[in-house]
Amino acid sequence: MISPRLLARCLARRLSACAFAMAIAASPALAVDQTENGATRVVAIGGSITEIVYELGQHARLVARDSTSQHPNEAAELPDVGYMRALSPEGVLSVDPDLIIALEGAGPPETIEVLRRASVPIVFVPETYDHDGVVDKIEIVGNALGVTAAAASMAARVAEDIAAAQAVATASGRQPRVMFVLSIRDGRIMASGTGTAANGIITLAGAQNAITEYQGYRQLTDEAVIEAAPDYILMMDRSGEHDLSPAELVAIPAIATTPAGAAGQIIRMNGSYLLGFGPRTAAAVRDLASALHAQTEHE
């Protein structure tokens, strides 16, 4: 049964996506124990969805996952149906799923239409980058899998952990300015504005996004980087030809003139851990806050 708290949230936020989840939860054919008539061939689309399924102890029901699902390590043993925003219907249908649980935005639309025509139940899970968004994800996934009580218990624990992490993060009273850099190509910086996972995790960690003039990600001019004046630069820890070392990063003229560049204050964290907004969010908040506020005692 859908919880009253989740119902209220669905009415207030992203009603259409939650409505489908509630329909699945209310269906006698799906919202039962998996040993009876529940889905036994589940495809998880979205790293946080896969993590939640594992945390709920329902991973034996997974038959595939998307390429963003990198945690836990065992998930890599599952068939990979592709990137969540570039799915092919053939790849998904090849594992014969009886339920797909996907983050909102999975697609493309043509693939979703084919899957619907194939009569495969799909639960779309809203993605909001805050405390409530993580809790809602857990409850919706639990409802879809028919393990509502376990999901409610997990949601309560995760909610408490995130709240505690936020309290620690904001205790110093400092709000350092943070610029999240998604990528750098030919010296041009692609940075996060508002409405992103990066903006959400920066806020939870007791800091402020240095870029608030736009939503999403954009390439910045040198003048915009200088004007943003970040105290820290936050990046995903990745490898590849477009990756830069901290030394190379602070050598970029526009960054060198910022407080972050002058002090060499570069923070790098695993992308799915930092931006996943799943069960590990509280730990990510603690780690980011620790890095951002480490020098408070010495100022």
Side-chain angles (χ1 to χ4, degrees), residues 15 22 29 42 49-50 71 79 102 130 181 223 234 272:
L15 179 60
M22 290 189 287
V42 180
I49 302 301
T50 300
H71 182 85
D130 53 24
V181 175
E223 292 76 13
L234 177 62
S272 63

Short mmCIF file of all heavy atoms in Angstrom, two decimals, residues 15 22 29 42 49-50 71 79 102 130 181 223 234 272:
data_model
loop_
_atom_site.label_atom_id
_atom_site.label_comp_id
_atom_site.label_asym_id
_atom_site.label_seq_id
_atom_site.Cartn_x
_atom_site.Cartn_y
_atom_site.Cartn_z
N LEU A 15 3.67 14.73 -10.12
CA LEU A 15 2.51 13.87 -9.94
C LEU A 15 2.48 12.72 -10.95
O LEU A 15 2.21 11.58 -10.59
CB LEU A 15 1.23 14.70 -10.07
CG LEU A 15 -0.10 13.96 -9.93
CD1 LEU A 15 -0.17 13.31 -8.57
CD2 LEU A 15 -1.25 14.91 -10.15
N MET A 22 2.32 4.53 -8.01
CA MET A 22 1.23 4.19 -7.12
C MET A 22 0.31 3.14 -7.75
O MET A 22 -0.21 2.26 -7.08
CB MET A 22 0.44 5.44 -6.74
CG MET A 22 1.21 6.38 -5.82
SD MET A 22 0.19 7.71 -5.19
CE MET A 22 0.03 8.71 -6.65
N ALA A 29 -1.35 -7.83 -8.65
CA ALA A 29 -0.43 -8.72 -9.37
C ALA A 29 1.02 -8.42 -9.10
O ALA A 29 1.88 -9.26 -9.33
CB ALA A 29 -0.71 -8.62 -10.88
N VAL A 42 13.50 -8.34 -13.18
CA VAL A 42 13.47 -6.88 -13.07
C VAL A 42 14.69 -6.27 -13.74
O VAL A 42 15.83 -6.75 -13.54
CB VAL A 42 13.41 -6.44 -11.60
CG1 VAL A 42 13.36 -4.92 -11.48
CG2 VAL A 42 12.21 -7.08 -10.90
N ILE A 49 18.74 3.51 -8.63
CA ILE A 49 17.71 2.47 -8.59
C ILE A 49 18.34 1.12 -8.29
O ILE A 49 17.86 0.36 -7.44
CB ILE A 49 16.94 2.41 -9.93
CG1 ILE A 49 16.31 3.76 -10.26
CG2 ILE A 49 15.89 1.31 -9.89
CD1 ILE A 49 15.34 4.27 -9.24
N THR A 50 19.42 0.81 -8.97
CA THR A 50 20.11 -0.46 -8.75
C THR A 50 20.61 -0.56 -7.32
O THR A 50 20.48 -1.61 -6.66
CB THR A 50 21.28 -0.61 -9.73
OG1 THR A 50 20.77 -0.56 -11.08
CG2 THR A 50 22.02 -1.92 -9.53
N HIS A 71 27.45 0.42 -8.84
CA HIS A 71 27.57 0.04 -7.44
C HIS A 71 26.32 -0.70 -7.00
O HIS A 71 25.21 -0.32 -7.40
CB HIS A 71 27.75 1.30 -6.56
CG HIS A 71 27.94 0.99 -5.11
ND1 HIS A 71 29.17 0.69 -4.57
CD2 HIS A 71 27.07 0.92 -4.08
CE1 HIS A 71 29.04 0.45 -3.28
NE2 HIS A 71 27.76 0.60 -2.95
N PRO A 79 23.85 -8.35 -17.02
CA PRO A 79 23.85 -7.83 -18.39
C PRO A 79 23.61 -6.33 -18.40
O PRO A 79 22.79 -5.81 -17.63
CB PRO A 79 22.69 -8.59 -19.05
CG PRO A 79 22.55 -9.85 -18.26
CD PRO A 79 22.90 -9.47 -16.85
N ALA A 102 12.79 2.53 -13.69
CA ALA A 102 13.70 3.46 -14.35
C ALA A 102 13.61 4.84 -13.75
O ALA A 102 12.53 5.30 -13.37
CB ALA A 102 13.39 3.54 -15.84
N ASP A 130 17.56 16.22 -3.55
CA ASP A 130 17.47 16.70 -2.18
C ASP A 130 17.15 15.52 -1.26
O ASP A 130 17.00 14.38 -1.71
CB ASP A 130 16.42 17.80 -2.05
CG ASP A 130 15.05 17.41 -2.61
OD1 ASP A 130 14.76 16.19 -2.68
OD2 ASP A 130 14.27 18.31 -2.97
N VAL A 181 32.77 21.38 -11.87
CA VAL A 181 33.23 21.35 -13.25
C VAL A 181 32.95 19.96 -13.82
O VAL A 181 33.52 18.96 -13.36
CB VAL A 181 34.74 21.67 -13.34
CG1 VAL A 181 35.23 21.51 -14.77
CG2 VAL A 181 34.99 23.10 -12.86
N GLU A 223 35.63 35.06 -18.29
CA GLU A 223 35.12 36.12 -17.42
C GLU A 223 34.12 35.55 -16.41
O GLU A 223 34.12 35.97 -15.24
CB GLU A 223 34.45 37.21 -18.26
CG GLU A 223 35.40 38.03 -19.14
CD GLU A 223 35.86 37.28 -20.38
OE1 GLU A 223 35.24 36.22 -20.70
OE2 GLU A 223 36.81 37.74 -21.03
N LEU A 234 34.99 21.45 -7.57
CA LEU A 234 34.57 20.07 -7.36
C LEU A 234 34.46 19.38 -8.71
O LEU A 234 33.86 19.91 -9.64
CB LEU A 234 33.23 20.04 -6.62
CG LEU A 234 32.59 18.69 -6.36
CD1 LEU A 234 33.47 17.82 -5.46
CD2 LEU A 234 31.20 18.88 -5.73
N SER A 272 29.40 8.49 -9.37
CA SER A 272 28.14 7.84 -8.95
C SER A 272 27.92 7.96 -7.46
O SER A 272 26.78 8.05 -6.99
CB SER A 272 28.14 6.37 -9.37
OG SER A 272 29.16 5.64 -8.72
#
